[in-house]
Amino acid sequence: MATGKDTALRLMLVADLVNEAEAMVSRLRNAGTAVRPLRPESLDELTQMLAQQPVDMVLADHAATLLPFEQVAKAVMGCGRDVPLLAALDGVNDDILESVTALGAQAVALRDRPQQFLKVVHAEWQALESRRSQRRLEAQMRETQRRCDMLIDSSREPIAYIHEGMHIRANQAYLEMFGFDAFEDIEGMSLLDLVAPGDVTAFKALLKSLSKGEDAPPRYELTAHDAEGNEFPAVMEFTAAQYQGEACQQVIFRHQAAEVDPELAREVEELRQRDQTTGLLNRPTFLRILEDAVGDAGQHRAQYGLLLLEPDNYQRILQEIGLDCADDLLAGISECLQQVVGERLADGSAHAARFSEHSFAVLASGDHAHTTALAEQLREAFAARVFEVGGSSSTITVSIGGVQIGEKIASVTQVLAKASQGVQSSAGVGGNHVELFDPSAVDRAEEERIQAWVERLRDALANDRFLLHFQPIIHLLGEPRAMYETYLRLDSGNGETITPASFMHIAEEHGLLGQIDRWVIARAIAMLGERIRAGKPVTLLVKVTQASLLDGGLPGFIGERLAAHGVPGDALLLQVPESKVFINLRATQDFTAAIGTLGCKLVLEQFGAGLDSFQLLTHLTPGFVKIDRSFMDDLAKNQANQHRVKDLARKARDLGIQSIAEFVQDAASMSILFSQGIDYVEGNFLAIAGPDMNYEFDA
């Protein structure tokens, strides 16, 4: 599925009011879904967007009057593209559900039930990606089928496809073998019609077992006859296959000369599957067995472990013993491997192969503990053995990489990649080492990692292990007011600091955001007091989260801290993202009014990224707006961004609101921002954030 954190949902929203559409976008963004919103304001615009722009989903208000749901549904159904339509509702009953379904809606999303809303949107997005993936796979399958048909037709092996005992495909070599001129002569003919009377009964039993899904024998001998009735001994090989979507059997029919010894034929087949130097399975044979194991794991939850191992310092050893002894070295490695895995090889619970020039592979059934134990047995056996090669003796250690094959990693490509990475990692730490990948262990490790972070954050709150860094915010007209934005950091304990990106999502999931906000605010106010007493007053801009907007006791806490440290309220600016304000408008209004009585002001960040940011300002008047950093990308060359920034700054100024541009990248951007009426700027081009407030504002 392509719905990862770096993938944006291209969502078309149909709603009468901008803030209704913005609220739905914010809900998805708050849940971690990146959204690229579109909002048509007319039916023509909607039709044009569907025709010309990539759209993943249409989310339409069922009660909309400007663009009625029925018109939207007709436009979506008639666009000729796979675009799921969802109806946004405040409530639902049987009649509404039947109505929207009849119009073509895939599902309903209830605005007053956030979890259901998110679940439905994500489910339909995932279903869309699954359909797209299926179409890609079908196209690849058709191309593969075409190539396979070409290979089958050009093959000198007599090959046919059999469905329910009937011929549905046969190549030219097969037709020639039985004396037919064209496939039409054999199409629909029973395979039994090509079997000599004496073998029909036994062959019927074989076909019956195959129809029940039982495994085919690797080799089946019988007497066949051609179109003229001439009998000849033959050997057949069966492979489960698909042809044009139908499950069938691929059959390879070969002449078997009467004088050929069947035992000799089996020995030849055995040799064909073996590496001649080591006696182990060769790579093609092993890969077929691995594919079967991966399929078994994916379909029946079976468990297997794959181990790849390579001798450490192989090239150096080869130089010491000489190239003429390379085969002896490989044979010795094979012998050691077989001594460890011998019993498992004998009972069929394991398979060993020479996988490449000097790497070996072992596939064994069993869980992670079994795979780990086997890997350690192999490592210890090699480390303890003295190899006699080329008249000299030495020890050889191995690097082992492995993977536990299960439902979560049921792909041959993934399995081999993880095992290969394990080998490289083992060799990278000096060899004689085992590294195994187990998806279940990853899940357990992730749970332990998150719990460790929770404990670490609680400890940081209790013992002041958080830090604040400061980045200057500079007035473009040279006003000497000293202003900094505060950035939260966590002391790692080893002299390094950790940014919030590493832990804030965990803090949110475990209800710690409000406590962290209070720590930051209290620490910022304390530092403001220290600066005032030192005769160096500053203004600090502090980020607060959604948890603080909903914390009715926070304004009182801020007032107490300001009074305790003798800090005026206008020295503290509290910053909130625009997207959080849209979905918590009433709470933000109450919060803004409460901190306003203290003299504090609100800063609205990520401004301009919404569908209609100025609609928000009809309900709320912040002291500052901070322009979304996306508009700073290549600002000197991007005229669209320049026009947008200028428009945002002008409209904010008309409302008596000051503007801040963050993430300023170069001098050219500074010049443009000055000409566009921006009040304040900040960014690493001007000064990077650090633990000290030492910027010379009046320089």
Side-chain angles (χ1 to χ4, degrees), residues 471-484 539 573 623-624 653 657-661 664 670 673-674 677-683 686 695-699:
Q471 185 170 45
I473 301 174
I474 301 163
H475 198 283
L476 279 174
L477 295 179
E479 180 184 310
R481 179 184 186 183
M483 184 187 297
Y484 292 90
T539 300
L573 304 176
F624 297 81
R653 191 185 317 109
I657 301 170
Q658 293 184 291
S659 56
I660 303 172
V664 177
M670 286 277 290
L673 292 169
F674 177 82
I678 293 292
D679 297 300
Y680 291 88
V681 292
E682 67 172 308
L686 300 163
Y695 187 81
E696 297 294 337
F697 286 91
D698 54 357

Side-chain angles (χ1 to χ4, degrees), residues 12 21 39 49 86 97 100 201 234 274 317 435 575 597 605 609 641 646 668 686 696:
M12 178 183 289
R39 181 175 173 265
M49 285 181 177
L86 275 65
L97 184 60
V100 297
T201 302
R274 297 282 171 179
I317 295 172
E435 182 165 318
Q575 178 174 276
T597 62
E605 71 167 331
N641 281 357
K646 183 177 182 178
L686 300 163
E696 297 294 337

Side-chain angles (χ1 to χ4, degrees), residues 162 164-167 186-195 207:
I162 307 299
E164 296 182 351
M166 305 295 181
H167 289 84
I186 199 174
E187 184 176 12
M189 178 186 291
S190 171
L191 187 58
L192 282 170
D193 292 344
L194 302 179
V195 176
L207 291 179

